[in-house]
């Protein structure tokens, strides 16, 4: 089954509202609307920028999606500082990053937390928000050699209790921690090996048909120079882009590489 690629920018904790509007407008100006027939594009800014950035793309009638970088699994209540699925839905988010390695590393997010967030996002599909579920091994795990098993465990934990129909809406992003923000990209072969293994795990969990329709992205120092070869791999259906998504021209070049 042909999967439509997805190029998603993770802006992390960058861009004030004014800066975010400028960056979104620059991206909009650089994009040709008909590209979106062949590639899905989204940016994931900080919560405070979501509505202004959504409004830029809406005004330009450009189908670039907006995603949150995190969400809490309860719909409302006494959870100071958290943001719920209905809240990001109301803003117009169509994606939400879940389980990014920085959240796991700095904020203690566990596989169980990731699973609750995935379930919360997939439970109401009236105005869908597709989770972009991040998995990936540390350098120590890579060097020790058990990275396929490590990532397999993360995928199984993230999707515990999810049925095949719901899982089809999810996106998995393989992001080796040693490649994030380091300039050290996985080779296309390294990335394909793990993305292929992720698809095998998805097939075990949800069957071949569902696994063939779930997009698996690569993330980790992807840029306009290395995107084409990474995106040419059979099990890599797009990219989750950090640093390079903060420069409109670089980000749009990556989008072009996915066409
Ligand atoms: C990320 O944070 O998801 C990421 C892939 O970052 P970078 O592209 O900067 O490595």
């Amino acid at each position: 089954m042909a999967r439509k690629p997805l190029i998603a920018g993770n802006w992390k904790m960058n861009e004030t509202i004014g800066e975010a509007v400028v960056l979104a407008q620059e991206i909009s100006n650089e994009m040709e609307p008909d590209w979106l027939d062949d590639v899905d594009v989204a940016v994931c800014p900080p919560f405070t920028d979501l509505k202004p950035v959504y409004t830029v793309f809406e005004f330009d009638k450009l189908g670039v999606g907006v995603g949150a970088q995190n969400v809490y699994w309860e719909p409302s209540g006494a959870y100071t500082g958290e943001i719920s699925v209905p809240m990001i839905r109301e803003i117009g988010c169509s994606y939400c990053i879940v389980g990014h390695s920085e959240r796991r590393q700095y904020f203690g997010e566990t596989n169980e937390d990731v699973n609750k967030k995935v379930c919360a996002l997939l439970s109401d599909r009236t105005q869908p928000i597709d989770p972009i579920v991040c998995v990936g091994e540390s350098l120590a795990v890579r060097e020790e050699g058990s990275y396929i098993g490590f990532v397999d465990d993360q995928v199984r934990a993230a999707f515990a209790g999810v049925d095949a129909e719901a899982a089809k809406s999810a996106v998995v992003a393989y992001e080796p921690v040693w490649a994030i923000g380091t300039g050290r990209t996985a080779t296309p072969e390294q990335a394909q090996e793990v993305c292929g293994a992720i698809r095998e795990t998805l097939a075990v969990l949800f069957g071949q048909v569902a696994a063939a329709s779930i997009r698996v992205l690569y993330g980790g120092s992807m840029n306009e120079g290395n995107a084409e070869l990474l995106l040419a791999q059979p099990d890599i259906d797009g990219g989750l882009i950090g640093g390079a998504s903060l420069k409109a021209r670089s980000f749009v070049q990556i989008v072009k590489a996915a066409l």
Side-chain angles (χ1 to χ4, degrees), residues 78-161:
Y79 303 102
T80 302
E82 295 296 329
I83 305 279
S84 70
V85 174
M87 289 170 179
I88 61 168
R89 176 172 290 125
E90 189 181 27
I91 285 174
C93 285
S94 37
Y95 297 94
C96 181
I97 298 172
V98 179
H100 191 279
S101 64
E102 287 153 14
R103 295 216 55 85
R104 296 179 191 255
Q105 186 179 348
Y106 303 134
F107 304 100
E109 208 161 285
T110 64
N111 279 341
E112 291 69 33
D113 297 337
V114 172
N115 176 241
K116 286 184 195 162
K117 293 176 185 197
V118 169
C119 291
L121 287 160
L122 291 177
S123 66
D124 179 355
R125 305 305 289 161
T126 44
Q127 191 190 314
I129 305 174
D130 298 345
I132 301 176
V133 183
C134 298
V135 295
E137 79 286 358
S138 64
L139 188 58
V141 172
R142 160 77 39 179
E143 286 177 343
E144 194 245 317
S146 57
Y147 51 95
I148 298 281
F150 183 88
V151 170
D152 176 81
D153 286 348
Q154 285 185 320
V155 172
R156 287 172 186 272
F159 286 99

Side-chain angles (χ1 to χ4, degrees), residues 5-52:
L6 167 64
I7 301 296
N10 173 14
W11 291 6
K12 311 196 187 200
M13 198 178 71
N14 294 296
E15 314 302 329
T16 61
I17 291 176
E19 292 164 347
V21 167
V22 170
L23 178 55
Q25 191 62 64
E26 285 171 356
I27 291 170
S28 178
N29 294 346
E30 298 261 345
M31 297 254 318
E32 298 291 339
D34 63 346
W35 294 351
L36 295 166
D37 296 338
D38 298 315
V39 57
D40 286 334
V41 180
V43 297
C44 303
F47 286 126
T48 47
D49 298 337
L50 283 169
K51 193 68 185 178

Side-chain angles (χ1 to χ4, degrees), residues 63-86:
V64 172
V66 168
Q69 296 174 16
N70 183 31
V71 76
Y72 194 60
W73 54 83
E74 293 292 346
S76 62
Y79 303 102
T80 302
E82 295 296 329
I83 305 279
S84 70
V85 174

Side-chain angles (χ1 to χ4, degrees), residues 10 12 97 100-102 134 175 179-183 218-222 240-245:
N10 173 14
K12 311 196 187 200
I97 298 172
H100 191 279
S101 64
E102 287 153 14
C134 298
E175 297 210 307
I180 295 181
T182 58
Y218 168 77
S221 299
M222 194 189 265
L240 182 56
I241 325 293
S245 73

